[in-house]
Amino acid sequence: MVTEVTGMMTVVQCWDDGVTADVRLIEILRRHGARATFNLCAGLHEAERKPAGWAYKETEVWRLGWNEMRNVYDGFTIANHSLTHPRLEQISVDAACREIAEGRDRLQQFFEQSVPGFVYPFGSYNETVMSAVRKAGHMYARTTQSVGKPFPPENPMAFHPSCHFLAANFWSRYEKAKECGVFYFWGHAYELISEPMWAAFEEMIAGINADPETRWGNVADLFDEASDALNVPDKPDTDDT
């Protein structure tokens, strides 16, 4: 179930992968009272920070350690990005179900909060994966496909955002989204690789915050909160995804 959004435009954002650059990003969000969801892969974190094993544009990416994540993400919403970030439609159904369900369970136990959302690794999925995500108890699943009207989605298990935060037409999409009432952007904090980029990002957050026609929201808040099934296994589905 989804609820139509009326009145002021609600701006929601989410950030993938649980990287150390989230610390600086969150400092900016807190300064401006911005809400956000952070999409984590529970199976890729260790007790302390560690290199992710790859670099983005010659900048080494590091993952946060469990020993700091409660503090870093305090006050923000957590979503499931699978256990270890595989292309879910390319592995066995049993393995995909484990990635989805165990990833959610570990995050809920660690953060002691419901984890209602899911984000597809690499933005890739198929009908089988969508069904598994829903049956694991998720309220929605975000893709990487940009759309003009993100909400309400035709299918919450294929919830398309407005755009990436570095999209060249970010602000035109932002203004256009006022017609439907929701603007949804996403990204990775490791993509901010220079001081000018960080300054531009803070200016962007400040600009949204200063807009009298908008308000910050959380992705899950766009959906009805009537489902107690977020904390218990879903009943088998008999309808189409």
Side-chain angles (χ1 to χ4, degrees):
M1 294 287 295
V2 295
T3 303
E4 290 282 356
V5 176
T6 59
M8 298 175 67
M9 180 170 74
T10 301
V11 179
V12 297
Q13 60 180 310
C14 68
W15 300 88
D16 298 354
D17 298 342
V19 296
T20 54
D22 283 352
V23 174
R24 184 172 180 180
L25 184 139
I26 284 173
E27 290 174 354
I28 293 172
L29 300 185
R30 286 188 172 131
R31 276 200 292 274
H32 298 282
R35 298 180 181 180
T37 297
F38 290 86
N39 313 307
L40 309 179
C41 297
L44 296 181
H45 295 275
E46 295 184 1
E48 298 182 350
R49 294 185 178 193
K50 69 167 188 177
W54 50 277
Y56 176 78
K57 295 187 177 180
E58 301 182 354
T59 299
E60 186 176 35
V61 176
W62 282 61
R63 294 191 190 280
L64 290 165
W66 289 114
N67 63 345
E68 60 187 322
M69 290 203 292
R70 277 199 185 93
N71 182 59
V72 169
Y73 295 118
D74 183 42
F76 292 91
T77 303
I78 302 301
N80 181 16
H81 200 21
S82 80
L83 189 63
T84 63
H85 206 280
R87 291 186 179 273
L88 293 168
E89 80 284 5
Q90 296 182 8
I91 60 179
S92 71
V93 173
D94 286 346
C97 288
R98 175 179 175 271
E99 283 278 341
I100 295 163
E102 187 172 336
R104 181 174 188 255
D105 184 59
R106 286 199 197 180
L107 292 173
Q108 290 191 143
Q109 290 187 43
F110 179 79
F111 288 101
E112 299 180 322
Q113 65 175 257
S114 178
V115 174
F118 188 84
V119 170
Y120 296 111
F122 305 103
S124 63
Y125 60 97
N126 58 19
E127 292 292 331
T128 300
V129 171
M130 292 168 69
S131 178
V133 170
R134 185 182 65 243
K135 289 178 179 179
H138 298 90
M139 182 183 292
Y140 70 87
R142 196 212 79 207
T143 75
T144 56
Q145 178 183 336
S146 297
V147 296
K149 182 182 178 182
F151 195 85
E154 292 184 8
N155 185 337
M157 296 300 108
F159 187 11
H160 308 309
S162 302
C163 63
H164 187 274
F165 83 107
L166 292 177
N169 59 351
F170 180 93
W171 288 113
S172 62
R173 283 182 172 272
Y174 173 87
E175 292 298 333
K176 183 68 174 177
K178 290 180 179 180
E179 297 176 7
C180 70
V182 172
F183 182 68
Y184 182 9
F185 67 93
W186 68 281
H188 311 86
Y190 63 70
E191 294 172 284
L192 295 164
I193 58 174
S194 68
E195 290 305 314
M197 291 185 74
W198 280 106
F201 174 71
E202 180 152 18
E203 184 177 352
M204 180 183 82
I205 296 298
I208 293 171
N209 199 53
D211 187 345
E213 297 180 337
T214 67
R215 63 185 177 188
W216 293 107
N218 287 318
V219 182
D221 291 344
L222 297 174
F223 296 82
D224 285 341
E225 305 248 353
S227 177
D228 290 332
L230 286 173
N231 298 312
V232 296
D234 281 3
K235 296 179 181 179
D237 289 295
T238 57
D239 59 333
D240 293 335
T241 56

